[in-house]
Amino acid sequence: MENKKEIHLICNAHIDPIWQWDWPEGVSATLSTFYSAVKLCNEFDYIFCHNEVTVYKYVEEYAPELFEKIKELVKEGKWHIMGGWYLQPDCNMPSGESFVRQIREGQRYFKEKFGVVPTTAMNLDPFGHSVGLVQIIKKCGQDSYMFMRPYGSECQLPSEQFIWRGLDGSEIKAMRIPGSYGTSLGKSVKSIISRANYQNVPVGAVLWGVGNHGGGPSHKDLTDIKNELLTDKEVNYIHSTPEKFFSRVTPTNVFDKSLRISMPGCYTSMYRVKKLHAQLENEIAMAEKMSSVAYMKGLLDTYPEKEIQDAVTDLLNAEFHDVLPGTSVQCGEDAGLRFLNHGMLEAERAKIKAYFALSTSQKPAKDGEYPVVVFNPHPYDICENVECEFSLADQNWQTDISSHIKVVDENGNSVPYQVIKEDSNLNLDWRKRIIFEAKLKSMSLARYSVYIDFVDSKENQREEAFVFDNGHKYVKIDEKTGLLSSYKIDGVEYIKNGFGLCSLDDNADPWGMGKDQLLRVGTNEKDFTLSQNPTGPFKGMKSIQVIENGDIYLGIEAFFECDSTRARILYKIYKNNDYVDIDVTLYNNDINKIVKLKLPFAKKGSLIGQGPFGTENLFMDARENVAHRFVALDTEKEWLALLNKDVYGSHFENDTLYMSLVRGVTYCAHPIGERELIPQDRYTKKVDQGENNYSFRLTLLQRNQLECKATEFVQKPYALNIFPIPSEKTGTDLDISIGDDTISMPTVKKAYGKDGVIFRLLNNTPNQVDTYIKINDQRLPLKFGKYEVKTIAYENNTLWESFELLI
């Protein structure tokens, strides 16, 4: 029968290594599922499909004999390595480089262990998928994508099989699977028939197998399929793989947006994991950049591949789709934090080793000099405010004299600086913290020198100023409300009615599964108010006060309250640029609430946010958005940008941007029908209670500056007071630069298993950019299309463009 409908049966077992259980139980589920699948492969003619390096590593380590049997089945074609990624990560919040690592580390493992590299990416369980994935998947050698969420009621697609087009124009085949990735034990045939009938196409696919804690195929299900489906005369059911399915379909409908919105509470829940995840992404980038420069200069004998690789593995594990989104039980959060903290330690060790290797090129300190050596991680020259702490050579116990600081550059010229509060609280003239204006060359060290003398002590009195006005920039903090009530550049007002905090009614569900939450997360907005008599951790403070006022910035802190939650906002109004930094310390003591930082715009325009290797238009109708390190409003001439270090969720309504800071939810409180969400007969632990800290930067930028300025905010120049030790190693000269600061450089690292170094470059604008990369005397012209990411390789003093995203 030539026109028989063709349905590809993809047998799998969804296994969450961590979710409602800790990882050892995930190991147990993996081993039992794989053992069962191997046994059934010997009895039935079917193909078992499974993805994720993480679970294969469990088998390799804890059941090596089983691992060898799986390798044989892969060779025979009865076991299929599916997906090929390191694991199924959250597909909204990792950076573009993190996604490259997820794919490439997975491909490297499966190629090494099984000799295969899957061409279909599979992310079945994550809660939405960024359109930035398309270019990444395509340039990592995969041509198709299979997913489950968002469901049809959440995201209207032109068809369930379609062409997914990326921001740069890349295209891959895609399919939203019908129903689910799993079926009930012993009842698979009924589900398969229902899902097959749902697909009104000549060729379809159905995923089946017991899942959500392992299981896979059962003897009964395979018997029923053999007897009832493989003999069907109207539908041609085939035991298959994702690659075989996609080779049989040629979708024509095109979708060119992110696959959202699904379970938007995930953009905010379990903030501490999200915060540390963002920090580790940047710490790895800093470690790789500094190590690469030291390695290329010949100052590192060996590149710290193992340390960085260990940090990357920790990062990838923490990006699992029930850890980073905050939808696990507490042991899942604990595991994520352990991964991330270990990764931070490994990356920091690599960074510091490279820093001290680079510093051997510095001359020893002069008498009385406190050298501050600064590394600029960016591929262009910058002028930036740099902070550094140091200790006086001796403690000054005298009360009639105090230290006086002078900061000079390498040519002996004085530079603007300010002494600010050090981290220590010893009431002694000893530890010092300075912030100074540094002019830094691309990807290299600069040296500044601090000199100390002692002068008669004078009482340190700060000018009580709540308005800054230098004729170009005007900023006002309202003494009565504590809010940033005005931000003007060249006389143009950009905000209105105050920049402050609010609390909204929420629920205990960390996913945000409610239908109303698809339209808006949080209701009944209630503003925080200035504390007249601050209490709790802020007891004894004034409601609002100036804490720093010098040549670099004016610092004002104000204290707020709402219900049982307390907050401090620190405004840093810089005097040498357009920035205002807003640091928030929030003591969350309320449950079933979401706290947001709101910025009322005085201008109207479209809203965009940074995504993985791209920028997306954001919803402006109160639906929750997800973005990375910047959200920006088009004000016609410039973009009013709010940069952040680690916040992902936000919404926009009534000309106001609301950044989602924290949700007082309950661990793994999963709605099931009309059943009670959480038990009321005992206390259940809540997420993100207590202290949480946030950092934002308000600034006015050109469109082509957004990516690089956001990167500068989260990857600050690294500065340390060191006294260089001479070395026989002098190192070779190294000059790395890019033609302009439109193009950012997310990654510089030694290529895996090779001597060369790779440079990842990104044009995160909708415009074509012609530029170049220069290393010493080698100059490579580059032409970037819209939102294009490129990989440049450098080895043996030769530069060339690679047309894939290498690791």
Side-chain angles (χ1 to χ4, degrees):
M1 191 173 176
E2 293 184 3
N3 295 322
K4 285 177 68 174
K5 187 176 186 177
E6 184 176 299
I7 296 295
H8 290 249
L9 302 177
I10 300 172
C11 179
N12 77 112
H14 183 74
I15 302 173
D16 290 324
I18 296 174
W19 180 31
Q20 298 177 75
W21 43 82
D22 207 347
W23 72 269
E25 189 175 335
V27 173
S28 176
T30 299
L31 298 183
S32 62
T33 298
F34 280 24
Y35 176 70
S36 173
V38 166
K39 285 205 311 179
L40 291 169
C41 278
N42 295 325
E43 186 175 348
F44 291 89
D45 186 17
Y46 84 108
I47 305 170
F48 182 69
C49 304
H50 203 87
N51 55 340
E52 299 185 321
V53 168
T54 300
V55 294
Y56 282 91
K57 281 187 172 181
Y58 290 161
V59 182
E60 184 180 17
E61 182 172 359
Y62 301 116
E65 291 182 8
L66 179 62
F67 191 75
E68 292 302 316
K69 291 178 181 178
I70 293 171
K71 288 169 73 173
E72 290 301 316
L73 289 171
V74 170
K75 290 179 182 178
E76 296 171 15
K78 293 178 67 67
W79 188 294
H80 182 71
I81 304 298
M82 182 171 73
W85 291 24
Y86 194 86
L87 46 70
Q88 290 190 56
D90 172 80
C91 289
N92 292 310
M93 291 176 281
S95 67
E97 191 62 31
S98 285
F99 283 119
V100 173
R101 298 181 199 272
Q102 284 285 352
I103 301 173
R104 284 307 200 191
E105 293 294 341
Q107 291 175 332
R108 182 168 63 84
Y109 178 87
F110 288 124
K111 178 68 173 177
E112 177 185 326
K113 302 297 181 180
F114 298 96
V116 298
V117 178
T119 58
T120 295
M122 305 280 291
N123 282 309
L124 303 174
D125 212 20
F127 318 116
H129 311 258
S130 169
V131 69
L133 282 169
V134 179
Q135 179 179 192
I136 296 168
I137 289 170
K138 188 72 175 283
K139 288 186 174 178
C140 284
Q142 296 189 297
D143 58 17
S144 44
Y145 195 63
M146 195 171 279
F147 66 97
M148 182 174 71
R149 299 188 187 92
Y151 302 114
S153 60
E154 299 170 333
C155 178
Q156 299 300 316
L157 297 173
S159 56
E160 302 299 293
Q161 299 175 17
F162 59 96
I163 296 294
W164 196 15
R165 181 177 293 158
L167 296 168
D168 70 321
S170 297
E171 293 182 346
I172 58 175
K173 297 177 184 179
M175 179 191 183
R176 177 166 59 191
I177 64 170
S180 176
Y181 44 68
T183 50
S184 300
L185 180 62
K187 301 177 181 178
S188 294
V189 166
K190 182 179 178 181
S191 295
I192 290 170
I193 293 173
S194 174
R195 294 171 191 175
N197 291 338
Y198 173 81
Q199 299 175 72
N200 186 26
V201 288
V203 180
V206 172
L207 275 73
W208 73 277
V210 179
N212 238 9
H213 199 25
S218 71
H219 191 281
K220 182 180 186 306
D221 288 319
L222 283 167
T223 300
D224 291 346
I225 289 171
K226 179 180 179 181
N227 294 335
E228 299 180 40
L229 298 184
L230 300 186
T231 59
D232 194 296
K233 295 182 179 180
E234 295 183 359
V235 179
N236 184 21
Y237 289 98
I238 307 167
H239 286 302
S240 189
T241 68
E243 281 78 3
K244 289 180 181 178
F245 161 71
F246 277 110
S247 72
R248 297 281 294 140
V249 299
T250 54
T252 56
N253 290 321
V254 175
F255 190 74
D256 61 359
K257 299 179 178 62
S258 290
L259 298 165
R260 299 197 185 103
I261 170 179
S262 180
M263 306 182 188
C266 294
Y267 309 156
T268 305
S269 297
M270 216 172 276
Y271 166 71
R272 292 184 180 100
V273 171
K274 293 174 170 60
K275 180 183 181 71
L276 199 53
H277 166 261
Q279 288 178 340
L280 181 53
E281 284 187 325
N282 287 301
E283 190 70 3
I284 289 172
M286 289 287 290
E288 288 178 330
K289 289 176 180 179
M290 292 173 72
S291 298
S292 297
V293 171
Y295 178 71
M296 294 171 75
K297 288 176 68 69
L299 295 172
L300 272 182
D301 292 332
T302 57
Y303 183 86
E305 200 155 25
K306 182 182 184 305
E307 293 89 341
I308 292 176
Q309 187 63 31
D310 286 347
V312 167
T313 300
D314 290 329
L315 177 72
L316 301 185
N317 279 309
E319 288 175 342
F320 180 65
H321 63 260
D322 280 313
V323 175
L324 183 55
T327 54
S328 70
V329 291
Q330 189 174 11
C331 65
E333 178 186 42
D334 293 342
L337 293 173
R338 285 196 299 272
F339 278 128
L340 293 166
N341 278 303
H342 178 263
M344 287 290 292
L345 179 61
E346 293 295 332
E348 185 180 43
R349 283 173 170 165
K351 179 183 75 174
I352 298 304
K353 184 177 181 179
Y355 175 83
F356 278 104
L358 288 167
S359 71
T360 60
S361 62
Q362 296 288 311
K363 295 178 181 179
K366 299 176 182 177
D367 289 343
E369 178 194 8
Y370 295 77
V372 177
V373 179
V374 188
F375 179 79
N376 173 18
H378 307 292
Y380 45 83
D381 298 353
I382 62 173
C383 181
E384 184 60 271
N385 295 320
V386 173
E387 293 187 30
C388 182
E389 282 207 12
F390 60 94
S391 295
L392 299 183
D394 195 11
Q395 302 162 5
N396 173 30
W397 287 83
Q398 299 183 60
T399 57
D400 58 335
I401 62 170
S402 59
S403 56
H404 177 264
I405 288 173
K406 181 181 180 181
V407 183
V408 299
D409 64 16
E410 291 178 285
N411 297 317
N413 301 312
S414 295
V415 300
Y417 78 95
Q418 182 174 338
V419 179
I420 57 177
K421 176 68 174 68
E422 69 278 12
D423 285 342
S424 173
N425 290 305
L426 270 68
N427 191 5
L428 182 64
D429 189 13
W430 182 21
R431 286 293 289 173
K432 296 295 174 184
R433 187 174 188 88
I434 57 172
I435 181 170
F436 62 94
E437 185 178 275
K439 295 180 180 179
L440 306 172
K441 294 293 185 182
S442 165
M443 298 204 76
S444 58
L445 294 180
R447 179 166 173 160
Y448 287 81
S449 300
V450 177
Y451 291 94
I452 307 292
D453 57 13
F454 291 88
V455 298
D456 291 341
S457 293
K458 291 185 290 186
E459 187 176 350
N460 183 19
Q461 291 186 347
R462 291 181 295 272
E463 181 183 352
E464 286 287 308
F466 293 91
V467 174
F468 173 77
D469 186 0
N470 64 1
H472 165 67
K473 170 181 168 182
Y474 176 90
V475 180
K476 179 182 178 181
I477 309 299
D478 191 305
E479 291 184 68
K480 294 181 179 180
T481 65
L483 302 182
L484 196 163
S485 60
S486 181
Y487 173 75
K488 297 179 184 179
I489 301 295
D490 293 331
V492 179
E493 182 67 81
Y494 287 95
I495 69 171
K496 62 181 181 181
N497 301 330
F499 189 152
L501 295 163
C502 65
S503 175
L504 300 95
D505 292 339
D506 199 357
N507 65 11
D509 165 18
W511 286 269
M513 293 187 188
K515 291 183 179 180
D516 57 330
Q517 290 172 303
L518 292 175
L519 303 178
R520 193 179 198 273
V521 176
T523 58
N524 301 322
E525 179 181 332
K526 183 179 181 181
D527 287 339
F528 279 62
T529 58
L530 189 68
S531 300
Q532 298 307 309
N533 293 292
T535 59
F538 306 127
K539 186 175 181 180
M541 296 292 100
K542 295 181 180 178
S543 296
I544 181 170
Q545 57 191 357
V546 174
I547 62 170
E548 306 285 358
N549 196 356
D551 291 339
I552 303 298
Y553 74 86
L554 168 64
I556 301 169
E557 67 178 3
F559 301 92
F560 300 87
E561 59 188 49
C562 184
D563 298 325
S564 298
T565 296
R566 300 293 179 264
R568 168 191 182 252
I569 296 181
L570 169 61
Y571 305 99
K572 296 179 181 178
I573 305 169
Y574 292 96
K575 300 181 179 182
N576 55 358
N577 56 46
D578 290 346
Y579 307 156
V580 178
D581 284 357
I582 301 98
D583 295 341
V584 178
T585 299
L586 187 72
Y587 283 85
N588 181 41
N589 298 309
D590 290 300
I591 64 171
N592 302 339
K593 301 277 188 180
I594 182 170
V595 177
K596 299 200 172 205
L597 181 72
K598 64 179 186 179
L599 172 57
F601 292 131
K603 297 281 187 178
K604 295 184 181 295
S606 58
L607 195 70
I608 62 172
Q610 184 196 48
F613 290 161
T615 301
E616 301 181 45
N617 293 321
L618 301 182
F619 301 125
M620 301 183 70
D621 57 2
R623 283 181 287 175
E624 197 75 359
N625 289 302
V626 57
H628 293 182
R629 304 286 70 86
F630 67 74
V631 175
L633 182 82
D634 184 1
T635 67
E636 295 183 0
K637 291 185 179 180
E638 297 90 8
W639 291 75
L640 183 61
L642 188 64
L643 315 181
N644 77 85
K645 289 189 177 179
D646 40 44
V647 172
Y648 294 92
S650 68
H651 84 269
F652 187 90
E653 62 178 333
N654 299 325
D655 299 324
T656 301
L657 172 65
Y658 293 76
M659 300 298 296
S660 302
L661 303 186
V662 68
R663 300 182 69 221
V665 297
T666 302
Y667 287 102
C668 211
H670 192 302
I672 300 177
E674 299 300 319
R675 300 179 186 180
E676 188 176 57
L677 185 58
I678 56 174
Q680 298 299 315
D681 61 342
R682 68 199 68 206
Y683 167 71
T684 54
K685 290 186 177 181
K686 313 301 178 184
V687 181
D688 287 335
Q689 295 296 298
E691 182 180 353
N692 294 287
N693 293 281
Y694 310 84
S695 295
F696 299 90
R697 172 168 288 174
L698 179 67
T699 186
L700 198 65
L701 300 171
Q702 297 297 316
R703 173 64 180 84
N704 66 344
Q705 294 179 300
L706 288 171
E707 181 72 23
C708 287
K709 290 301 180 184
T711 303
E712 290 170 28
F713 183 53
V714 297
Q715 293 180 23
K716 295 182 180 297
Y718 184 76
L720 195 64
N721 164 222
I722 63 168
F723 295 87
I725 299 173
S727 171
E728 294 182 0
K729 286 186 177 181
T730 57
T732 59
D733 291 336
L734 182 64
D735 176 21
I736 301 173
S737 62
I738 293 179
D740 57 55
D741 60 1
T742 298
I743 302 301
S744 67
M745 190 169 66
T747 301
V748 182
K749 63 188 293 279
K750 181 176 174 290
Y752 183 82
K754 300 178 181 179
D755 290 332
V757 174
I758 62 172
F759 297 79
R760 197 94 67 221
L761 306 179
L762 172 65
N763 170 29
N764 197 1
T765 77
N767 305 313
Q768 179 177 303
V769 176
D770 294 338
T771 186
Y772 62 86
I773 182 172
K774 180 178 177 295
I775 301 180
N776 294 336
D777 60 346
Q778 298 297 302
R779 188 176 185 274
L780 180 66
L782 296 170
K783 186 181 294 291
F784 284 83
K786 61 180 183 179
Y787 299 111
E788 184 178 6
V789 61
K790 290 180 180 288
T791 300
I792 307 302
Y794 178 78
E795 188 173 3
N796 297 325
N797 201 35
T798 302
L799 274 171
W800 71 95
E801 181 177 350
S802 172
F803 293 96
E804 58 178 343
L805 300 181
L806 304 171
I807 61 168

